[in-house]
Amino acid sequence: MDDAARVTLVEDDPTVRTVVGDYLRAAGYAVDQYADGVTAQRALNKGLPDVLIVDRMLPGLSGDELCREVRERSDIPIIMLTALDAVDERIRGLETGADDYITKPFALRELQLRVQAQLRRRAAPTAAPIEFAVGPFRIDPGHRRVWARGREVALTAREYELLFYLSRHPDRALSRDELLREVWGWGFGDASTVTVHVRRLREKIEDDPRFPCHLHTEWGAGYRFTVEPRC
């Protein structure tokens, strides 16, 4: 088990925690389990896992707060569990920095596949490690680093993958379904996932996210990344 991917599960419901933990262990993962946000925070300060699965509603320190804190210092994949099914609530969860979410109740096999997809996409090379420039952006696939107008931009793993895919398809309208499929690896999913990540990416690469020059919304079609500024 030394080379097994490590998953940290933070869930206050003992039944859910036990069932999910046992299932993921049976699938070959090394799993650490915590029942509250404060205990999990202490453990995560000592070392981060390969994937973090966190419930939004936790005693002591909420899942949202824990997610924000981890995201400030790491781009590890974060999957959020939530019993809040409203679109606005799911968006708020994603805006804390989560890469993915699953609404309770959920199928254990689906959660395992989401974990597997996060690990696979993180490990797979996105391109030959050769830096390239696209408009005012410079991208280093070998080290997954991005510069915008000469300034390095700190992106999460998912934000980097989204920008990388957009930069390889400039001046083309890309639907949310296509982005979910190609960037997230999902055959289906909630389009709000893409919406939130596009918003976060704009905040990091655009001079004024309210009036983007490069990452545009194409109403009814999706998004278009333009090399030449259009603002």
Side-chain angles (χ1 to χ4, degrees):
M1 291 292 291
D2 289 344
D3 59 349
R6 181 162 295 280
V7 176
T8 292
L9 170 65
V10 191
E11 167 61 63
D12 63 327
D13 184 312
T15 300
V16 174
R17 190 170 63 250
T18 299
V19 171
V20 171
D22 289 349
Y23 188 89
L24 292 177
R25 288 189 190 91
Y29 299 103
V31 182
D32 298 315
Q33 297 174 207
Y34 303 97
D36 64 87
V38 174
T39 305
Q41 180 187 47
R42 294 195 192 104
L44 293 169
N45 284 338
K46 296 177 182 177
L48 294 170
D50 297 298
V51 178
L52 172 63
I53 303 173
V54 57
D55 184 27
R56 282 195 71 191
M57 311 296 285
L58 292 171
L61 183 74
S62 74
D64 288 358
E65 294 172 296
L66 185 62
C67 184
R68 286 193 191 93
E69 182 179 296
V70 171
R71 184 54 74 225
E72 286 177 357
R73 59 192 173 94
S74 174
D75 67 350
I76 64 167
I78 300 175
I79 300 174
M80 188 165 278
L81 306 179
T82 177
L84 305 171
D85 192 34
V87 172
D88 288 348
E89 292 294 343
R90 296 200 298 270
I91 289 174
R92 274 193 280 273
L94 289 167
E95 286 178 334
T96 64
D99 298 285
D100 195 357
Y101 69 85
I102 295 183
T103 303
K104 297 178 180 179
F106 55 85
L108 292 170
R109 176 60 174 161
E110 180 185 3
L111 177 59
Q112 182 204 339
L113 290 174
R114 296 288 181 94
V115 171
Q116 184 178 314
Q118 293 287 346
L119 291 169
R120 183 174 59 247
R121 297 188 72 81
R122 188 173 176 82
T126 53
I130 300 173
E131 286 188 21
F132 65 94
V134 53
F137 305 100
R138 183 161 60 93
I139 300 176
D140 177 1
H143 299 92
R144 299 170 68 89
R145 298 172 69 188
V146 173
W147 292 261
R149 293 167 288 278
R151 174 182 59 86
E152 185 167 5
V153 182
L155 301 179
T156 67
R158 189 68 72 197
E159 289 163 356
Y160 169 81
E161 290 161 3
L162 177 59
L163 179 60
F164 183 88
Y165 188 79
L166 291 165
S167 72
R168 306 313 278 174
H169 301 83
D171 302 308
R172 189 184 127 199
L174 302 170
S175 71
R176 291 173 177 82
D177 286 343
E178 178 178 347
L179 292 171
L180 276 174
R181 183 175 62 252
E182 299 298 332
V183 178
W184 275 259
W186 300 357
F188 60 92
D190 190 333
S192 63
T193 302
V194 178
T195 304
V196 171
H197 281 80
V198 166
R199 184 188 309 157
R200 286 183 357 209
L201 185 57
R202 277 186 181 136
E203 290 172 352
K204 295 183 178 183
I205 68 171
E206 299 282 4
D207 287 333
D208 187 344
R210 297 171 302 169
F211 305 101
C213 293
H214 297 280
L215 183 46
H216 306 279
T217 299
E218 296 285 337
W219 298 108
Y223 300 98
R224 187 188 304 273
F225 179 80
T226 60
V227 177
E228 295 300 323
R230 199 179 76 190
C231 55

